[in-house]
Amino acid sequence: MKFDIVTIFPRMIDAGLEEGVVGRARERGLLDIAVHNLRDFTTDRHHVVDDVPFGGGPGMVMKPEPLFAAMDAIVERRGQPGAVLLLTPAGRPFSQREAKRFAALGHVAVLCGRYEGIDERVRERWATDEVSIGDYVLSGGELPALVIIDAVARLVPGVVGDDQSVEADSFTRGLLDYPHYTRPAEFDGRKVPEVLLSGHHGEIRRWRRETALQRTVDRRPDLLDGAALDADEQEWLKRSK
Ligand code: JAH
């Protein structure tokens, strides 16, 4: 899977993609991630990437020329991406479903905005998708870009060592996760639920399904619509109401 990220803060992106599962997958050649410094695509002495808004008003706007030049270079050197994402609070909400769609494309470019916004012509010419990671304002698109790359990269075969843990992931199943415990069996006066120590794998599976369902009912009932529930789980849910 190929990613191209365009930013004025390349070290912010580098730092987030060198560690953990994604860092290891890059070393193993499963992810080809290129981070492009927008200032490298300016032609003036001071590498200016912003300008005052036409019509007046507060703040600055990202100039179109460096962003067009960066995208032209990406297409030339790296091929045409299947999607060009623009991170903005005005975008479609990002979700596990969107992550799957992007993963299937094989090559995604991400444009990280800063300042009050990006010249509209960049969106018109290049953006295939405008994406939001939630209803809050940040200082730029870099942190959302890292969120999206992480979520998409995990879906590339081999990136997460154990396929089973991707399968088990809360949003892959459509439910919240069950509670996890490790040793010691008692800590701070709190005991691990007996069933988990019992070795009865059938009962352990049932306990986990029920606690996951109960948590989803309590905290995120909106998720139940889209969840893949088997006959037992549907029955349990009906009885719980
Ligand atoms: C802020 C450019 N959905 C979260 C999000 C995404 C992007 C931005 N803020 C919040 C943002 C300033 C400039 C993008």
Side-chain angles (χ1 to χ4, degrees):
M1 172 105 207
K2 238 176 344 179
F3 291 100
D4 285 273
I5 304 104
V6 180
T7 172
I8 61 168
F9 295 124
R11 288 180 306 177
M12 204 172 156
I13 301 292
D14 288 337
L17 298 177
E18 278 165 9
E19 310 289 339
V21 162
V22 170
R24 222 161 314 122
R26 290 178 84 180
E27 287 169 3
R28 290 189 290 145
L30 293 172
L31 301 175
D32 171 3
I33 307 180
V35 183
H36 308 276
N37 187 343
L38 185 63
R39 294 194 195 277
D40 293 346
F41 299 92
T42 56
T43 53
D44 64 304
R45 278 184 0 103
H46 295 102
H47 303 290
V48 173
V49 296
D50 61 342
D51 203 345
V52 295
F54 273 126
M60 299 292 274
V61 175
M62 290 185 92
K63 292 164 63 61
E65 301 95 323
L67 284 160
F68 270 63
M71 281 309 306
D72 285 333
I74 287 167
V75 171
E76 165 113 351
R77 295 181 211 155
R78 307 259 301 160
Q80 179 75 52
V84 178
L85 313 187
L86 222 135
L87 289 326
T88 156
R92 252 208 327 278
F94 185 61
S95 63
Q96 194 67 23
R97 173 187 298 234
E98 293 285 288
K100 284 182 193 158
R101 182 166 72 82
F102 297 144
L105 297 175
H107 183 189
V108 171
V110 185
L111 304 182
C112 303
R114 282 269 152 179
Y115 316 112
E116 295 313 301
I118 297 186
D119 188 282
E120 185 66 6
R121 291 161 294 191
V122 175
R123 190 188 63 73
E124 290 171 359
R125 170 63 181 89
W126 291 105
T128 63
D129 296 86
E130 291 177 76
V131 182
S132 165
I133 64 161
D135 294 339
Y136 35 80
V137 180
L138 297 168
S139 312
E142 282 77 9
L143 291 172
L146 289 171
V147 167
I148 287 162
I149 292 163
D150 189 88
V152 173
R154 294 174 58 77
L155 300 175
V156 174
V159 167
V160 174
D162 182 0
D163 293 350
Q164 287 187 344
S165 67
V166 174
E167 274 309 303
D169 273 339
S170 132
F171 283 102
T172 303
R173 295 209 54 227
L175 294 176
L176 300 184
D177 213 351
Y178 53 79
H180 299 267
Y181 292 90
T182 187
R183 288 177 287 193
E186 182 176 344
F187 183 71
D188 192 30
R190 296 154 203 275
K191 291 194 166 71
V192 171
E194 202 62 53
V195 59
L196 299 179
L197 311 177
S198 70
H200 293 128
H201 299 291
E203 288 188 36
I204 291 170
R205 246 191 314 276
R206 201 158 69 117
W207 180 86
R208 286 178 169 167
R209 281 179 1 188
E210 287 184 5
T211 54
L213 265 170
Q214 186 64 61
R215 285 195 161 181
T216 310
V217 168
D218 293 344
R219 302 181 191 186
R220 291 296 306 277
D222 58 299
L223 294 178
L224 292 168
D225 286 338
L229 302 182
D230 65 21
D232 278 6
E233 288 167 329
Q234 286 174 36
E235 184 53 38
W236 183 93
L237 193 59
K238 247 191 287 166
R239 270 188 292 114
S240 86
K241 281 185 201 164

